[in-house]
Structure formats: C-alpha cells, structure tokens
Amino acid sequence: MYRRAPCLLNRIIAGGGRRSAAAARPFSTDLPAAPTEDTAFVEAWRKVAPNVDPPKTPLAFMKPRPAASPSIPTKLTVNFVLPYQSEIANKEVDMVIVPATTGQMGVLPGHVATIAELKPGVLSVHEGNDVTKYFVSSGFAFIHPNSVTDIIAVEAAPLDNIDPTLVQKGLADFTQKLNSATTDLEKAEAQIGVDVHSALNAALSG
Amino acid sequence: MASSGAAVPFWRAAGMTYISYSNICTSLVRSCLKEPHRSNAANREKVHFAISKWSNGKPESPTIRSDSATE
C-alpha cells in the first residue's frame, strides 16, 4: 500500500516538474550507498500529515546496498548455492570460470556487473594454486558491482562423482534418439540430451 | 544483446519453458552420477502431492501422487 506513496506525494508536492540530468544513471563505480529511507517521501509526508509518524517502508528494514568502492577489490567473494545445500559461502577466491551460454567466462575481481545464464558445463574456482571443479547442470551467475559473485545451479557435482560409462551410453542413446525423432518436442529433448552428455564427456576428458 | 527480434533457443522454439529445460538437464546429469551420489540425487527428485478436482463447488476425493523421477 505504501509502495506508491512516495511517488504520489511527490507528484502532489512538486507539481509535476520534470527531472532533468538527475535522471542520468551514474556508473556503478561511483554509486553512494543506498539510503535507508526515502528523505523526499518523509518530508512530503510531514508536510501533509505532520502529526502522524511516517510509515516505515521495506527499505528501512533491509540492509542498504553498500557504496560502490572506488578501487577494484583484490579478491572475488563467491557464493555457490544449490537448492538443497550451499556449496560455497562467502569464500574469497582469485577467479572463477563460469560455463555461460555465451561460452566459458572467466570472472576476475573488478568484473563488470553481469547476469549470465549457465549451460551444462564445468565451473572452476581458482584460489591460489587450488582449482576446484564442479559440473553444473544449468543455472545463473550474478556478478555484482562489488565483485560478489552469486552462482546458483539446480544440480552440481564434483567431476569425480560422474561415471564415464554412463555418460558414453547416454551420449550414444540420445544421438540415436535425435536421428529418429519426429516431433519438435522429441527433437528438442534429444538435442538437450546430446548437449548435456557431450558437455559431461568434455568435462571428464578436458 | 538479444533483442526482441533475435532467435530463441531451440527448446523454446519447440514449446518448452526454461524450467522444463533446466529440470531435464538436471535429471540427465543426475542419471550420470556414480552410485552413492546417484541414489541421494534420486531422493531429491521425489515428489509427493495430492490433487483434488473441484466440481459444483465441492472437492471430490483427492488423488495422492507420489512420483519419483518421471519424464
């Protein structure tokens, strides 16, 4: 109910003056911290209803977005979550390589803020000389301006948990289904099978 | 990037939604795992729900469905 309140009150008070250059979006490198309350709303409320406390908006209860730091951080903070458990939580690493639909994407600290859809492939987390690899079935990767990277996947397994014989068998099965598929839906399902199994194969051999 | 006129992915052109696509990929990956992990994963795919069809404002008797990974 109060979501539209700042907008409506400002419309009454300000009388419809157009916002000019203030509407230009700043670069994410010089954003100040998000405010915990909308000062324009609070002032407008006090003018209209001085005896009633202004209501708290959801923003007042949340942790505000922190100010974008002007310098590039030295480490990447990674959160890798699955629906049933959290694989990596707030770990500081040097680089992650994400299997985005547009190709393997390397994420270093200071990467531009990105939302990437993931395809079935290998996610590798590089910390010093250690590399931890997971095979990810699909999901998304969110890279925030402050170099926090959230990777969410439906299913992920370390490469050791994958059985090569099952992968080969699946690949053969689905290639055969792709050749014999008739409807669009069957073709799509067979194509997905071929893609997933070839990615698994490449992960195991690469 | 991809604007409204760009080609859609093949699965969407075939009428599948992203969630179905993602779930299919996931069940395929789960079926390629080695043994103890594979049965743990199969447990995650189990679904248990009850459906009641309503007619004339009254619910008929519910059917309880307990599916494991099905296509």
Side-chain angles (χ1 to χ4, degrees):
Chain A
M1 189 175 96
Y2 292 120
R3 222 162 62 90
R4 294 277 299 151
C7 185
L8 296 172
L9 276 176
N10 282 332
R11 214 195 293 161
I12 298 169
I13 301 295
R18 293 236 159 244
R19 289 193 329 178
S20 57
R25 234 174 258 169
F27 289 119
S28 59
T29 46
D30 42 298
L31 271 181
T36 43
E37 62 167 25
D38 192 341
T39 45
F41 169 60
V42 170
E43 284 167 21
W45 178 279
R46 290 204 198 282
K47 286 196 188 117
V48 174
N51 295 328
V52 184
D53 275 332
K56 279 191 161 191
T57 50
L59 211 55
F61 294 98
M62 286 165 41
K63 257 193 332 190
R65 184 195 62 224
S69 72
S71 63
I72 296 179
T74 48
K75 293 276 218 185
L76 205 56
T77 312
V78 172
N79 295 317
F80 178 30
V81 293
L82 303 171
Y84 50 89
Q85 78 179 48
S86 147
E87 278 290 334
I88 303 179
N90 282 333
K91 188 165 171 221
E92 305 256 325
V93 298
D94 296 322
M95 171 169 81
V96 288
I97 302 186
V98 190
T101 44
T102 48
Q104 295 285 108
M105 181 167 83
V107 181
L108 290 163
H111 197 282
V112 67
T114 313
I115 300 181
E117 180 192 339
L118 305 181
K119 66 179 181 208
V122 176
L123 170 80
S124 44
V125 178
H126 298 248
E127 166 66 25
N129 284 329
D130 303 320
V131 178
T132 325
K133 290 193 185 176
Y134 301 89
F135 187 87
V136 159
S137 70
S138 62
F140 291 90
F142 300 90
I143 304 159
H144 300 284
N146 56 358
S147 286
V148 169
T149 306
D150 297 319
I151 304 168
I152 56 175
V154 185
E155 179 69 63
L159 298 182
D160 297 330
N161 292 0
I162 303 176
D163 189 345
T165 40
L166 290 173
V167 173
Q168 298 293 3
K169 181 168 164 304
L171 186 55
D173 279 346
F174 279 98
T175 328
Q176 202 246 332
K177 272 192 205 166
L178 185 55
N179 290 334
S180 66
T182 45
T183 65
D184 260 349
L185 192 57
E186 274 178 34
K187 277 194 207 140
E189 287 181 1
Q191 181 68 48
I192 296 174
V194 168
D195 286 344
V196 171
H197 286 96
S198 354
L200 277 163
N201 219 357
L204 288 175
S205 46
Chain B
M1 287 274 152
S3 61
S4 54
V8 293
F10 65 89
W11 38 269
R12 196 175 282 283
M16 213 186 277
T17 62
Y18 177 78
I19 292 193
S20 315
Y21 165 70
S22 183
N23 285 338
I24 293 178
C25 288
T26 303
S27 55
L28 290 173
V29 171
R30 283 181 178 149
S31 64
C32 285
L33 296 177
K34 286 184 184 157
E35 215 0 85
H37 310 281
R38 191 171 182 184
S39 20
N40 293 340
N43 284 338
R44 283 181 216 126
E45 296 200 342
K46 288 208 177 113
V47 181
H48 179 90
F49 55 91
I51 302 180
S52 297
K53 289 207 166 74
W54 287 63
S55 64
N56 294 330
K58 282 191 205 144
E60 294 166 3
S61 57
T63 48
I64 301 192
R65 299 210 15 215
S66 210
D67 292 344
S68 49
T70 52
E71 283 300 327

